[in-house]
Amino acid sequence: MNERVKDLFQIRDNETTIRTEMLAGLTSFITIAYIIAVNGAILSIAGMPYEAATIATVLSSIVGCMLMAFWAKSPLILAPGMGDNAFFVFTLVASFGLTWQQALAAACIAGVMFFCISLTKGVTYLSQTIPVSMIRALTAGIGLFIGFLGLKNGGVIVPSESTFVQLASLRDPHALTTILTLAIVVPLFLRRVKGNFLIGIIAGTLIGGCLGIVDFSNMDNFTFSMAGYDSLLFAFDFSQFSSFHFWIAVFSLLMVILFSNMGAQLGMLPDNSKFRRSFQANALSIVAASMLGCSPTTTVAESATGIAAGGRSGLTPFIAGLLFIPALFVVPILKMIPNAAIAPVLIIVGCFMIQGVKDIQWDDLTEAFPAFLMMLMMPLSFSIVNGIAFGFIAYPIVKIVTGRRSEITAAMYGIAVLFLIYFLLGQ
């Protein structure tokens, strides 16, 4: 049996062992398990049933991990991503005005386009023609957006008539739960305690119970059922297929998933020869997630923990995928988790995503200004796509007015024109 496993996952070729790969898979699962609770909570904002969306999250994670295990034979983990779920809810649904069913259709098409690109040399072309500053600003801007979302959902930042937003009363039980949970999670995260986010969410739920925002009295009634999940399965709606607005939404999503996953995979893979197939597995998992009724899957940053534990082969995501299966049976219990317990995770993930700003050329204003504008507009306009649009439109303008037209690629002109049309006709 061991020999068959070694041959299937190329254990010897990757100079690793079954025991090491299994430990890496367990480590990866523990660090990403929080997404089971968080993703359903975010998707429910778009009107998707919480329990059904959480089941879709688990199923999408299982499929994504198995694709990475058997198609790419890579140690990366695929699961619904934090930036992608925020884009799905607050850009595709809230900003573009799509229904969540139409947003699933947009995700499916973007996934198919992603896969087609992954089969060609277009991936290499795009990675060379889109400026690094734009890619890093895109990720960092989403990080700012997610951090702001965490503070908002956690009740720490509230509306204000005079200043638009303000700090909430720290005596408010929701805000207090968020702050106390954050005080627990940050040290765990900094000390790299395995399962830090999961521990924090559990602690936050207990704190919320003590402060009266969580009711534990109905725990005996929690039973697992797939009833209601059929409302999400193959639920996508292509009725807006001929709409320009719909295709701008598809293009915007494609930009996000393409470059965020490209950067993540090239940055984490121990062996870059596995990049092409890993990228293809990523694309196929996005299509599968849309069919299962979930926001796009992504190469999660938590993959790095499994790789750090020695993961080198497809056995790592295979073990992680298997561990998602029993998680289905605790889905009903997850409904009691308050937003205040999830908010600290959003804040910390936002901080993690913004770290790429160090790669922006801040001493070159023609690179720095479009990047800054992109990052600033995402949280302030509460729209990821508006931020992307401002950044990509500003980039060629500042290059042209400073006489540096030669630094603008054809792809950058095309993207800027598309986003300009979006503002003029599609918004």
Side-chain angles (χ1 to χ4, degrees), residues 141-166:
I142 293 176
L144 284 174
F145 181 89
I146 289 176
F148 177 71
L149 181 63
L151 292 170
K152 172 183 174 293
N153 288 357
V156 178
I157 296 297
V158 294
S160 167
E161 290 186 6
S162 58
T163 60
F164 296 106
V165 293
Q166 65 181 11

Side-chain angles (χ1 to χ4, degrees), residues 176-211:
L176 187 56
T177 299
T178 299
I179 292 171
L180 291 176
T181 305
L182 190 62
I184 293 172
V185 178
V186 170
L188 294 175
F189 182 77
L190 293 175
R191 295 180 69 85
R192 300 183 181 180
V193 175
K194 292 178 181 178
N196 43 49
F197 286 160
L198 198 57
I199 295 170
I201 290 173
I202 294 171
T205 303
L206 295 175
I207 292 170
C210 295
L211 295 178

